[in-house]
Amino acid sequence: MKVFGYREATRNLAGVLESAQRDGAAMIRSRDGKSFVVQLEGARKSVLDVEGVDLCVTTNDIVATVREGRERHG
């Protein structure tokens, strides 16, 4: 997370926002020592949010495989 001074952040708001988008968050530190975090809303995704993979497997293929497994172990 990149840290910006208050003066730099006020002069370069676009840079603060770009940094927050790129890195997930950016911090602005004021002269009196207070810190503020700028974060892109909704930027966090679930680790389970993954792209699907086309395996060319039909529902019938899956059902047949499950039935075969049940017959073997069953």
Side-chain angles (χ1 to χ4, degrees):
M1 173 184 340
K2 186 167 180 179
V3 179
F4 295 85
Y6 177 81
R7 181 173 275 160
E8 179 185 4
T10 57
R11 279 188 271 139
N12 187 15
L13 179 59
V16 174
L17 298 178
E18 287 172 12
S19 179
Q21 182 175 4
R22 181 182 60 249
D23 302 332
M27 181 178 287
I28 300 172
R29 211 168 258 145
S30 66
R31 284 175 249 155
D32 62 0
K34 294 178 184 171
S35 297
F36 301 87
V37 175
V38 178
Q39 184 175 347
L40 179 62
E41 185 173 66
R44 295 183 182 190
K45 291 185 175 182
S46 169
V47 294
L48 301 175
D49 188 14
V50 295
E51 292 239 358
V53 178
D54 186 11
L55 299 176
C56 299
V57 178
T58 67
T59 304
N60 290 336
D61 294 335
I62 295 170
V63 170
T65 302
V66 170
R67 285 190 178 142
E68 182 182 313
R70 287 180 179 168
E71 288 173 2
R72 275 197 238 150
H73 298 44

